[in-house]
Amino acid sequence: MLKPLTGATALALLLTPAALAQADNTGGETVFRVFVGDHAAPQITVFDLSAPDRPWLFDTIGQAKLYAVAGGSAVAAVQSDANTVQFLSSGIRLEDHGDHQDIEITEPSALPHRLDGPRPFHLIDHGQRIVINLDQGGYAEIVDGAALARGALETSRFPQSVPHHGFVTPMGSLWLSSVAPPPPAEGAEPAPRLGLQAFTAEGTPAGDLATCTGIHGEAFSGLYLAAGCAEGVLTARSGDEGIVYAMLPYPADLPAGNTTGTLLGATGMQVFLGNYGRDGLVVIDPADAPHFRLITLPFRRVDFVLDPMQPARGFVLTEDGTLHRIDLLAASLDGSAPVTQPYSMDGHWNDPRPRLAMAGGEVLITDPREGLVRRIDAATLEDRGSIAVEGAPYSIAVVAASGHSH
């Protein structure tokens, strides 16, 4: 049974309906600041949704995947092929006063810090610790989120046994890291990643390896971390005597030969949404059976996103150019509308295709072929217009905040 997270707090400055209502009723201010990375040109375009005709432009070293981090006060631009991570100040800062929050809005700016290393890839922002895996370096860089919010870059390094495409994340006083086998002999095929293991901050094992063959993808929801495996989905949570793991095997009634490798975790209820094959999604309950419920899509999936405003709702774009609304409670699609021209999923995984993000009651969709960010009403799926963005808009991140401006 899917559980609401009555005691959980959303990470980053994602707005709840109550926060929006409070801002509207008490004269507060709400801002949605949109960051868009170009597919070909080394640049990031930033604009406020309320004033998209006044953008800011920032140069990067290469193509960037964007993440809102440090409570939304910063944006990380991970550039795997350029071996670097750059950071922007979002220009949005909140100060909590208990019964209300004050908001300070300034222009975004490029922070002077750069994090260089061999192929940065997966980024996890959890508990004010931002962890970036260096796939070809055999380590992860841990960035202090509170310091980054102040404009400073303070880092430490977590060692891994061998370089691999994986991730590291904090859980309580321990660190969980994906584990890979030693490199293969010259000319031999590499063996799949082995699983997940708990370590101290210095990299000393603090528990046995939990098998998760080919481990890929991770997300947090409620008490749980979930990761995709060849055998199923592995969950982990803190227990009285250390980390408690559970393997949720793929049920026999799911199509054989598929796996989950991308996971999104809801912030308002304990549930995950993951991919399953190229034309399926799975709603995953980490605590109660049935753990998996399949949503079969009419075409192959391009991108999908959860709605922080409505925890039981998500959206998925399929290659025919149709946006579908997802009801996580029913594990079904409950509305569809054409929004772009078709984008075939044949070709390279990094070909220019749309990406989705949420901005309050809207779904934002990058359309690199047309040079647009499209705005779709989340409740009705009606077109709210589009924003022209120079180049080929691709990666997208949104910082949203609401508070009183004095």
Side-chain angles (χ1 to χ4, degrees):
M1 178 180 180
L2 303 182
K3 297 178 175 63
L5 300 182
T6 55
T9 301
L11 302 176
L13 304 183
L14 298 172
L15 298 177
T16 64
L20 282 174
Q22 182 185 42
D24 292 341
N25 293 337
T26 60
E29 188 170 358
T30 298
V31 61
F32 296 98
R33 184 157 286 175
V34 184
F35 296 74
V36 180
D38 194 85
H39 186 273
Q43 68 180 27
I44 298 170
T45 302
V46 185
F47 57 86
D48 288 342
L49 203 56
S50 61
D53 56 334
R54 298 196 296 273
W56 299 271
L57 294 178
F58 297 94
D59 293 331
T60 59
I61 306 301
Q63 184 192 106
K65 185 172 183 180
L66 305 179
Y67 300 84
V69 297
S73 60
V75 169
V78 178
Q79 301 159 61
S80 301
D81 292 339
N83 296 320
T84 192
V85 182
Q86 293 172 273
F87 300 93
L88 299 179
S89 168
S90 70
I92 298 174
R93 187 179 299 275
L94 287 179
E95 185 176 348
D96 190 5
H97 292 284
D99 61 338
H100 73 282
Q101 294 184 105
D102 287 348
I103 186 171
E104 179 184 354
I105 302 172
T106 59
E107 292 193 358
S109 59
L111 295 177
H113 319 293
R114 220 171 76 192
L115 192 63
D116 294 327
R119 195 159 179 80
F121 211 93
H122 278 299
L123 180 149
I124 296 174
D125 184 7
H126 187 62
Q128 284 294 335
R129 289 170 289 186
I130 304 155
V131 190
I132 304 166
N133 206 80
L134 282 297
D135 285 3
Q136 295 177 0
Y139 63 91
E141 290 281 8
I142 303 166
V143 179
D144 185 296
L148 189 63
R150 301 190 304 269
L153 183 64
E154 297 179 6
T155 67
S156 58
R157 185 168 291 186
F158 179 89
Q160 296 170 309
S161 57
V162 295
H164 68 281
H165 180 58
F167 66 87
V168 174
T169 183
M171 180 167 279
S173 62
L174 298 174
W175 293 83
L176 299 184
S177 175
S178 54
V179 177
E186 185 176 350
E189 287 292 324
R193 294 175 292 275
L194 302 174
L196 194 64
Q197 190 169 5
F199 296 86
T200 65
E202 295 73 32
T204 302
D208 295 333
L209 175 75
T211 298
C212 177
T213 306
I215 185 170
H216 190 277
E218 42 59 43
F220 280 92
S221 182
L223 301 175
Y224 291 87
L225 166 77
C229 323
E231 303 89 349
V233 169
L234 179 71
T235 66
R237 60 180 176 84
S238 293
D240 294 337
E241 298 181 0
I243 306 299
V244 178
Y245 300 99
M247 174 61 72
L248 311 179
Y250 300 122
D253 58 354
L254 291 187
N258 294 326
T259 62
T260 294
T262 300
L263 287 156
L264 304 178
T267 54
M269 59 191 303
Q270 194 164 266
V271 65
F272 297 92
L273 182 65
N275 66 327
Y276 191 75
R278 304 191 73 183
D279 61 354
L281 295 168
V282 281
V283 178
I284 302 168
D285 184 333
D288 298 319
H291 296 295
F292 294 87
R293 290 181 295 159
L294 178 68
I295 302 172
T296 301
L297 303 172
F299 291 90
R300 290 177 292 185
R301 175 193 61 259
V302 177
D303 194 24
F304 63 108
V305 68
L306 290 174
D307 186 349
M309 294 278 292
Q310 302 289 337
R313 187 166 72 180
F315 296 88
V316 59
L317 181 73
T318 49
E319 64 179 339
D320 64 326
T322 299
L323 181 68
H324 309 272
R325 189 171 52 232
I326 304 165
D327 182 341
L328 272 68
L329 295 178
S332 65
L333 305 179
D334 72 350
S336 302
V339 293
T340 72
Q341 294 298 311
Y343 275 87
S344 173
M345 289 303 294
D346 291 332
H348 193 271
W349 66 268
N350 194 40
D351 286 344
R353 301 184 184 95
R355 293 293 181 262
L356 309 183
M358 299 300 303
E362 294 185 17
V363 186
L364 303 185
I365 306 173
T366 58
D367 192 339
R369 189 183 298 149
E370 302 296 330
L372 300 172
V373 172
R374 299 185 181 274
R375 304 174 63 175
I376 306 298
D377 189 291
T380 66
L381 299 182
E382 294 177 354
D383 189 344
R384 286 191 175 180
S386 57
I387 300 164
V389 176
E390 181 182 335
Y394 183 47
S395 177
I396 183 169
V398 177
V399 172
S402 181
H404 289 271
S405 179
H406 299 291

